[in-house]
Amino acid sequence: MASCVLSECGIRPLPRFYPKPTNSFASNPSPTLKLNPPTTPLPSLNSRSGFFPRTRNWALNVATPLTTLEIPPEEEDARRFDPGAPPPFNLADIRAAIPKHCWVKNPWRSMSYVVRDVAIVFGLAAVAAYFNSWILWPLYWFAQGTMFWALFVLGHDCGHGSFSNDPRLNSVAGHLLHSSILVPYHGWRISHRTHHQNHGHVENDESWHPLPESLYKKLEKATQIFRFTLPFPMLAYPFYLWGRSPGKNGSHFDPDSDLFLPKEKKDVVTSTACWTAMAALLVGLNFVMGPIQMLKLYAIPYWIFVMWLDFVTYLHHHGHEDKLPWYRGKEWSYLRGGLTTLDRDYGWINNIHHDIGTHVIHHLFPQIPHYHLVEATEAAKPVLGKYYREPKNSGPLPLHLLGSLIKSMQQDHFVSDTGDVVYYEADPKLSGQRT
């Protein structure tokens, strides 16, 4: 191509060419072509210098844009990443990346956490009862409820067998810890095992699993509102122990529940008896100390503990800024289901509740003691890649997670009845019912 062309009328300049704008994304710009006019002006046809100029520019000048919009490689990869796709690694790859000492259980170290937490519980109660001040009671309720939650986490470790290699020690410690906060140890341990074995499965998961759309629509309107309107979902745990989730039958206290195998009935009876003994002790203390004092010392902290439990366990499986998949059928696997869980940062509470926020590795390998979870997670991150979602840093208290909780309650209502890889959908009729 040249800067001028010979026509029937003589030599004339080429028309200026302007590339037509495209509708491509700014993040993937097309190269800009610019045809520069010749630097030497063309002579007129009447010029004395003749029909052809003394200097000619037959080159095609291509101008490169001064600035280009480029997507960082990591952002471009993230846009292409499909969290529902099978990962390019397996459980053995993750296991091999975790240092061997992270699998070692130290019963003395585990018991030291029990001693510490129990001493704090009794110390808080003694101080609160001694001063009996309405200025201090709210602080006590929050602190003691948080410590009840810490006791639960230690009993949870007993249930997984990560407390020690001795089943008898695990059972005794687990019963003492869980019964003290009105949790049936074996009943919960068995259902929680079901949760881990089926995590991320729409129908088979046990706790905080999604409802299929058809089941959701069969719920009474009041049930829908209570299930997704704060603070009611954060008070659900005791009711779950008695009646499980919608669509599932049975009780954690009933040895004949379909939650349990026939060989597990004796364990369930034992735990229900321990729970009953603790409930009787609390009734007796009401007569000794008075119901108001017991309300302040135990009942209110108990409900703070319940809120901690529901808050933490819900956000381990919900509330990420990106929709995460749930599986059915052949698409589900233990690994893929476990990779949909989330780590959370709880600030100062991390140490108090024994790093339960490091949840991904815990879900995949629940036999790792809680005091090795942080190190095991760091070692596994290079293998997990984008399947590990880095938690947002917390301040001293995890107030940032309240926004994630509220948003999830507004958007995560049910999943489709069909499909083996599904994502939460929102019920627009509930949009006006949010807190």
Side-chain angles (χ1 to χ4, degrees), residues 16-34:
R16 299 281 301 271
F17 174 74
Y18 298 93
K20 183 179 179 181
T22 66
N23 292 326
S24 60
F25 293 103
S27 57
N28 187 22
S30 301
T32 302
L33 294 178
K34 181 179 178 182

Side-chain angles (χ1 to χ4, degrees), residues 371-391:
Y371 41 84
H372 291 318
L373 283 175
V374 173
E375 181 182 0
T377 298
E378 291 299 323
K381 283 182 184 180
V383 177
L384 297 174
K386 293 180 178 60
Y387 286 89
Y388 179 80
R389 299 157 188 92
E390 197 73 39

Side-chain angles (χ1 to χ4, degrees), residues 204-220:
N204 297 340
D205 203 343
E206 176 59 29
S207 58
W208 292 124
H209 60 88
L211 300 179
E213 185 175 6
S214 58
L215 176 59
Y216 171 83
K217 291 182 176 180
K218 291 178 182 178
L219 298 177
E220 296 181 0

Side-chain angles (χ1 to χ4, degrees), residues 174-224:
H175 273 97
L176 291 174
L177 291 164
H178 275 189
S179 298
S180 69
I181 49 176
L182 295 178
V183 175
Y185 172 70
H186 279 309
W188 173 85
R189 175 186 64 81
I190 295 167
S191 75
H192 190 63
R193 179 191 65 197
T194 302
H195 166 55
H196 270 257
Q197 291 175 341
N198 298 277
H199 48 208
H201 195 290
V202 174
E203 284 83 19
N204 297 340
D205 203 343
E206 176 59 29
S207 58
W208 292 124
H209 60 88
L211 300 179
E213 185 175 6
S214 58
L215 176 59
Y216 171 83
K217 291 182 176 180
K218 291 178 182 178
L219 298 177
E220 296 181 0
K221 189 65 176 179
T223 303
Q224 292 180 356

Side-chain angles (χ1 to χ4, degrees), residues 281-326:
L281 175 61
L282 293 173
V283 172
L285 289 174
N286 271 276
F287 288 102
V288 174
M289 306 177 66
I292 300 300
Q293 190 73 346
M294 283 301 296
L295 175 71
K296 293 186 292 185
L297 284 173
Y298 187 90
I300 295 179
Y302 169 80
W303 284 106
I304 299 295
F305 145 66
V306 167
M307 286 190 281
W308 265 119
L309 187 151
D310 285 324
F311 177 71
V312 171
T313 56
Y314 181 87
L315 287 177
H316 281 159
H317 302 276
H318 300 77
H320 194 262
E321 50 265 29
D322 299 323
K323 292 287 187 180
L324 298 181
W326 290 79

Side-chain angles (χ1 to χ4, degrees), residues 122-354:
F122 279 99
L124 288 172
V127 170
Y130 177 79
F131 287 101
N132 195 21
S133 167
W134 284 106
I135 297 177
L136 296 179
W137 279 118
L139 298 176
Y140 165 79
W141 294 332
F142 177 80
Q144 190 71 299
T146 304
M147 290 311 302
F148 282 11
W149 164 234
L151 295 181
F152 175 88
V153 175
L154 291 177
H156 155 273
D157 289 357
C158 294
H160 280 301
S162 61
F163 190 85
S164 78
N165 288 321
D166 187 345
R168 291 173 297 180
L169 176 60
N170 294 338
S171 181
V172 170
H175 273 97
L176 291 174
L177 291 164
H178 275 189
S179 298
S180 69
I181 49 176
L182 295 178
V183 175
Y185 172 70
H186 279 309
W188 173 85
R189 175 186 64 81
I190 295 167
S191 75
H192 190 63
R193 179 191 65 197
T194 302
H195 166 55
H196 270 257
Q197 291 175 341
N198 298 277
H199 48 208
H201 195 290
V202 174
E203 284 83 19
N204 297 340
D205 203 343
E206 176 59 29
S207 58
W208 292 124
H209 60 88
L211 300 179
E213 185 175 6
S214 58
L215 176 59
Y216 171 83
K217 291 182 176 180
K218 291 178 182 178
L219 298 177
E220 296 181 0
K221 189 65 176 179
T223 303
Q224 292 180 356
I225 294 174
F226 278 108
R227 183 175 175 86
F228 298 104
T229 303
L230 295 171
F232 302 110
M234 300 297 100
L235 304 173
Y237 184 66
F239 304 97
Y240 162 73
L241 291 177
W242 285 100
R244 299 178 72 190
S245 302
K248 297 182 182 292
N249 299 316
S251 168
H252 290 74
F253 301 91
D254 181 7
D256 295 319
S257 170
D258 58 7
L259 265 171
F260 313 120
L261 300 174
K263 65 180 181 180
E264 295 170 332
K265 288 186 176 182
K266 184 178 179 180
D267 288 339
V268 177
V269 169
T270 300
S271 295
T272 301
C274 291
W275 184 96
T276 304
M278 181 62 190
L281 175 61
L282 293 173
V283 172
L285 289 174
N286 271 276
F287 288 102
V288 174
M289 306 177 66
I292 300 300
Q293 190 73 346
M294 283 301 296
L295 175 71
K296 293 186 292 185
L297 284 173
Y298 187 90
I300 295 179
Y302 169 80
W303 284 106
I304 299 295
F305 145 66
V306 167
M307 286 190 281
W308 265 119
L309 187 151
D310 285 324
F311 177 71
V312 171
T313 56
Y314 181 87
L315 287 177
H316 281 159
H317 302 276
H318 300 77
H320 194 262
E321 50 265 29
D322 299 323
K323 292 287 187 180
L324 298 181
W326 290 79
Y327 301 102
R328 292 188 180 99
K330 295 181 179 179
E331 291 294 335
W332 181 88
S333 70
Y334 180 83
L335 174 59
R336 292 176 74 182
L339 291 175
T340 64
T341 60
L342 298 166
D343 279 11
R344 299 291 190 180
D345 182 10
Y346 296 93
W348 288 348
I349 310 298
N350 285 332
N351 179 262
I352 296 173
H353 69 186
H354 308 292

